[in-house]
Amino acid sequence: MNTTEAILTRRSVRHYEAGFKMPESDLTTILRAGMYAPSAMNKQPWEFLVVTDSVLLTMVRDNHPYAAFLTDAGMGIFVCVDLSKEYNGMGIMDVSMASQNIMLQAHDLGYGTCYCGIYPDRCEEFNDLLKLPEHIQPIGLIALGKPSKEVKQPEERYNSELVHFNQW
Ligand SMILES: Cc1cc2nc3c(=O)[nH]c(=O)nc-3n(C[C@H](O)[C@H](O)[C@H](O)COP(=O)(O)O)c2cc1C
């Protein structure tokens, strides 16, 4: 799959084959893509907490209002910022870029993802459950697994009215 195809055909996947186990090498490939994202001053202030334990996943799912599919996906990656490493408060942007890389790489390998928002409302909610140290702030949670249904592609999203040249 080339880059254009990956970008245009990636969709949020909310139906997964329960019980599927991803090979570790694929997970490494996916996380490596995250770690190759751009970051302010190249600080790479990300940390990735991969939750696969079914009891923990169920508890995460039950504490998030829009992630019912997480347990079927079988894996949730908390994309976190290390506040002691980020440059000038830009960690959120850094880990967002890493998140998109992760989703595109997963899609390229045939997996489905769905980004579930943590920042700004839910950053504290999982601290105890996941035993997060104080300097680690979760920003997003990416459900990752094998899709069980094809997701409908959207209407064309390119809109020339949103593009401005030189001055507004
Ligand atoms: C910051 C952010 C938070 C999101 N939170 C959720 C969520 O909690 N649950 C969910 O199912 N989808 C969530 N999404 C996915 C969006 O609903 C999805 O990207 C959007 O509808 C466009 O669909 P597409 O990803 O298939 O292009 C989130 C996306 C972003 C960028």
Side-chain angles (χ1 to χ4, degrees):
M1 190 181 294
N2 67 32
T3 309
T4 305
E5 187 185 354
I7 290 169
L8 296 187
T9 63
R10 177 216 56 82
R11 297 276 66 82
S12 293
V13 173
R14 298 187 178 89
H15 295 94
Y16 293 92
E17 254 184 40
F20 173 78
K21 288 266 172 294
M22 179 183 295
E24 207 184 311
S25 60
D26 282 353
L27 177 60
T28 303
T29 302
I30 289 165
L31 293 172
R32 177 183 287 122
M35 295 181 201
Y36 270 76
S39 61
M41 293 293 273
N42 198 20
K43 294 288 183 188
Q44 302 173 36
W46 35 66
E47 297 269 346
F48 305 93
L49 178 65
V50 182
V51 181
T52 54
D53 180 86
S54 59
V55 176
L56 270 181
L57 263 186
T58 304
M59 289 168 92
V60 170
R61 179 198 67 189
D62 292 347
N63 276 290
H64 195 295
Y66 309 111
F69 40 82
L70 192 61
T71 36
D72 279 353
M75 195 183 287
I77 303 176
F78 277 88
V79 184
C80 306
V81 62
D82 181 338
L83 298 169
S84 70
K85 285 192 191 164
E86 68 171 348
Y87 178 72
N88 207 11
M90 297 189 196
I92 291 168
M93 274 73 83
D94 300 333
V95 303
S96 300
M97 299 217 177
S99 299
Q100 178 73 334
N101 275 14
I102 284 173
M103 293 190 287
L104 289 173
Q105 180 65 76
H107 177 50
D108 181 70
L109 292 174
Y111 296 111
T113 58
C114 187
Y115 189 96
C116 301
I118 299 292
Y119 179 88
D121 298 337
R122 281 178 261 280
C123 291
E124 315 292 318
E125 253 163 65
F126 300 98
N127 285 356
D128 289 342
L129 181 66
L130 303 172
K131 300 193 193 306
L132 297 175
E134 256 185 34
H135 63 289
I136 299 298
Q137 186 177 45
I139 301 298
L141 165 65
I142 301 175
L144 173 60
K146 191 165 183 211
S148 62
K149 261 197 205 170
E150 199 152 316
V151 182
K152 205 172 150 263
Q153 292 299 327
E155 301 289 309
E156 174 64 53
R157 285 183 177 173
Y158 182 78
N159 177 356
S160 61
E161 290 176 11
L162 306 178
V163 183
H164 312 272
F165 289 100
N166 300 320
Q167 293 183 306
W168 195 280

